[in-house]
Amino acid sequence: MAVIRANGQTLRKLLVVAVAMFGFGYALVPFYQKICEVTGINNLQNADAVVNTQADLSRTVTLELDANTRNDLPWTFRPVVSSVRIHPGQLTQIVYEVHNNSDQFISGQAIPSYGPQLAGKYIRKLDCFCFAKQDFKPREIRKMPVTFVLQNELPTDIDTITLSYTFFRVEGPVKPAAAAVAREPKTAT
Amino acid sequence: MSAVHPVDHAHDHDHHDHRPYGLMRWVTTTNHKDIGTLYLWFSFSMFITGGLLAFGIRAELFQPGMQLWKPELFNQFTTMHGLIMVFGAIMPAFVGFANWQVPMMIGAPDMAFARMNNWSFWLLPVAAILLVTSFFVPGGATGAGWTLYAPLSVQQGIGMDFAIFAIHIMGASSIMGSINIITTILNMRAPGMTMMKMPMFVWTWLITAYLLIAVMPVLAGAVTMLLTDRHFDTHFFNAAGGGDPVLYQHVFWFFGHPEVYIMILPAFGIVSQVIPAFARKPLFGYSSMVYATSSIAILSFIVWAHHMFTTGMPAAGQLFFMYATMLIAVPTGVKVFNWVATMWKGSMTFETPMLFAVGFLFVFTMGGFTGLILAITPVDIQLQDTYYVVAHFHYVLVAGSLFAIFAGIYFWLPKWTGHMYDEKLGKLHFWLSLIFFNLTFFVMHFLGLAGMPRRIPDYSQQFADFNMVASIGAFGFGLSQLVFLYAVIKCIKGGEKAPAKPWEGADTLEWTLPSPPPYHSFETPPVVK
């Protein structure tokens, strides 16, 4: 039967297409990451080059600082001052403080976000604790700076910017501290 | 009977079709007509289920304030209403049409893979049971919206896993159904039926089936990534692990945009059969219709990010997706003008199928225009996630796809059942549906423009009047569908005997068969001149 054979061939070809498209769905993942990398979207972890440091003293912008931790991270994370008034073009440093409340070594990664979102691209960071994973020893308290310049090109209708960081726990070897090990009940072997 | 006339019965049996009777006939059937019927009834039962959820949504939104449901349950209602209507009602209805009509329209005896056909149907009730029972698991059904956006969908309870598995199963069913339809169309046409002689309905389904094979696996991939993110420590969409929630939106809409054409192209096909039949003129610009349908299908792959203008895309990306989306209006416009040109100076009569087809033309085109408005990036940023979007996609999905389904049902019911349906009931159903549809969804444009967000169980006082109108319309629209159910059952039970070709202007192959067609038709292929 010629038709049955032809049908079988068509079936196989179409199945290959279906399987290939399933793979294509996964191929979108590295493709997306590559696009983001090339176009500089999601480029949160590199220092920016600052092109203009001419301070515009005629303008003052309020920068409100916000800090969050994602649900399971036992850290206290807060800015040392909750808001600063700065001039565009002026090199500014702000400081955040983290207190690891647990008896464990924990690593975290901070991700910034901006309100309004548009303001993000005018904050050029020279240094930030968000550029790298931060490792904390049990009960460690550390102050961490962010150094940045607010670009003069910031649209004039923006006079308040919220800079927010969220710390996420980063997967990795979580080494229990000696004290924590000692306190753990010994189970029968 | 068989005890009294055993010999006669056996004799009878030789002349009739060999098939089991009762329930097993439906479970084991490999007949394209039986499977088409199963698909259509399944689709109707899901339409009722999704409709009841819509009742729940509109009842809560009848007045401002929280009356009936907790917000979580409301979110589950909107999510499941979307999932059930898209995957349970609209898509299976079109597959039901394809099963009934494609073999008869191309002069084939049955579908290419009859047993796989049975399997692709019987997977669907399993998926439906998973979806419906997920309301009763701890945490309830998923409330992440039908798009199942991460990170919400990564965090929800076991109901989300039910939805993921249901999507896997429905995807497998769709892919098998599509393979079947493509193979049937490519290999089993009657002698003389070249590709460019195929009825438009067959053409639109061929293209739809290709779209399904191309994008259903991508959706399966997206929900598989969700599943592994949820349970197997992968981090595709989990920002804490280096993933990106926006990636989910890209993968989802790469499926999602072709999906909206999957739900409208077969509707175009049905309308392209109905309008020429009642205008008593051949379809105007047949080949341009074929090319327009193909162009829509190809363009549908490069416009997906217009659903994501607010995710922080570079301006170049926004411009590209805006212009590409607007380009789709060109082939769609070609189709609309061709339908109008088909009616131009035709000897038109307005039986129920034609009413629904003309209703489709008017109301779907309005949905198309609001789509064009939403394609404009700066406007979309204002209207994103408002009721304007809800109005838009209900204009194209309800007045588009669903009205075309109704047109097709009334058009082919005499063929399928052998009886004419009750014209008075059909017309009543049309006018009730049209009026209540507009009552429900037209006011949503104003709500959206005024800024009422979607998927929220409560709203500000100033939206109260329009919401009450929409709710009344929704209840009326839902109840009007009982007229449809009654009309269909009445037609199956009896009625005026339908001739082989009840519609004067219809000219495709199925009308050469008696009404109802024999259980096995075109075992000897007809010759098409």
Side-chain angles (χ1 to χ4, degrees), chain A residues 3 6-7 10-11 14-15 17-18 21-22 24-26 28-29 32 41-42 70 168-169 171, chain B residues 112-113 155 179 182-183 187-188 213-214 217-218 220-221 224-225 240 244 246-247 250 254 314:
Chain A
V3 171
N7 286 353
T10 313
L11 172 74
L14 294 173
L15 272 180
V17 175
M21 287 312 290
F22 185 77
F24 178 79
Y26 277 85
L28 283 174
V29 178
Y32 173 77
I41 312 168
N42 283 0
R70 181 77 170 258
F168 294 89
R169 184 198 278 266
E171 299 292 328
Chain B
F113 308 106
Q155 295 159 1
I179 289 179
I182 294 178
T183 311
N187 298 349
M188 296 172 69
I213 289 182
V218 176
T224 308
M225 289 181 220
D244 189 343
V246 177
L247 170 64
H250 280 288
F254 185 85

Side-chain angles (χ1 to χ4, degrees), chain A residues 130-141:
Chain A
C130 61
F131 291 165
K133 188 177 69 158
Q134 299 293 334
D135 303 313
F136 274 77
K137 292 197 267 297
R139 302 282 164 190
E140 183 182 351
I141 301 171

Side-chain angles (χ1 to χ4, degrees), chain B residues 366 370 387-388 391-392 395 441-450:
Chain B
M366 286 172 67
T370 53
Y387 265 80
Y388 195 86
H392 158 68
Y395 263 75
F441 294 107
F442 195 73
V443 293
M444 287 187 188
H445 291 111
F446 306 130
L447 287 172
L449 289 169

Side-chain angles (χ1 to χ4, degrees), chain B residues 158-425:
Chain B
I158 190 175
M160 185 67 213
D161 298 310
F162 276 54
I164 289 174
F165 284 126
I167 287 173
H168 278 141
I169 294 170
M170 291 184 294
S173 161
S174 288
I175 290 167
M176 286 193 288
S178 307
I179 289 179
N180 222 334
I181 289 166
I182 294 178
T183 311
T184 308
I185 296 173
L186 291 185
N187 298 349
M188 296 172 69
R189 296 191 308 278
M193 178 165 289
T194 57
M195 293 295 273
M196 291 310 275
K197 277 186 190 166
M198 294 196 311
M200 258 327 278
F201 177 74
V202 179
W203 254 115
T204 54
W205 241 115
L206 178 67
I207 292 164
T208 304
Y210 272 115
L211 282 181
L212 275 166
I213 289 182
V215 299
M216 282 313 275
V218 176
L219 175 68
V223 295
T224 308
M225 289 181 220
L226 273 184
L227 190 74
T228 55
D229 266 16
R230 289 166 58 79
H231 299 294
F232 303 105
D233 275 340
T234 58
H235 298 291
F236 289 107
F237 311 128
N238 185 357
D244 189 343
V246 177
L247 170 64
Y248 176 83
Q249 299 188 21
H250 280 288
V251 183
F252 178 86
W253 286 113
F254 185 85
F255 147 82
H257 203 77
E259 167 70 10
V260 307
Y261 295 107
I262 286 165
M263 291 190 283
I264 201 65
L265 292 184
F268 289 171
I270 291 173
V271 170
S272 302
Q273 300 302 134
V274 171
I275 289 182
F278 292 93
R280 291 164 182 79
K281 273 176 66 189
L283 184 65
F284 184 88
Y286 171 88
S287 52
S288 69
M289 285 297 229
V290 172
Y291 295 126
T293 313
S294 316
S295 317
I296 292 173
I298 291 163
L299 286 174
S300 75
F301 284 102
I302 56 160
V303 298
W304 77 91
H306 65 212
H307 297 266
M308 306 166 49
F309 282 147
T310 56
T311 55
M313 213 187 302
Q318 291 181 330
L319 282 173
F320 171 79
F321 285 109
M322 175 171 102
Y323 288 131
T325 304
M326 290 177 147
L327 202 55
I328 293 189
V330 175
T332 313
V334 168
K335 298 189 78 91
V336 170
F337 284 125
N338 279 349
W339 289 320
V340 174
T342 307
M343 292 192 282
W344 177 253
K345 290 188 174 173
S347 316
M348 287 202 287
T349 51
F350 293 94
E351 286 87 348
T352 311
M354 185 62 164
L355 284 178
F356 270 109
V358 175
F360 163 95
L361 203 50
F362 273 93
V363 195
F364 168 80
T365 306
M366 286 172 67
F369 280 130
T370 53
L372 212 47
I373 290 166
L374 286 169
I376 303 166
T377 312
V379 179
D380 182 77
I381 289 170
Q382 291 294 312
L383 295 176
Q384 166 99 14
D385 266 333
T386 66
Y387 265 80
Y388 195 86
V389 178
V390 176
H392 158 68
F393 69 73
H394 282 93
Y395 263 75
V396 288
L397 271 178
V398 180
S401 306
L402 186 64
F403 276 20
I405 288 170
F406 287 144
I409 296 272
Y410 287 111
F411 187 55
W412 283 304
L413 256 186
K415 175 56 62 191
W416 297 342
T417 63
H419 306 293
M420 295 307 286
Y421 60 88
D422 187 331
E423 194 62 59
K424 277 207 182 76
L425 280 176

Side-chain angles (χ1 to χ4, degrees), chain B residues 434-455:
Chain B
L434 186 74
I435 291 165
F436 282 122
F437 168 80
N438 281 297
L439 207 55
T440 313
F441 294 107
F442 195 73
V443 293
M444 287 187 188
H445 291 111
F446 306 130
L447 287 172
L449 289 169
M452 180 173 162
R454 60 193 280 218
R455 294 171 170 161

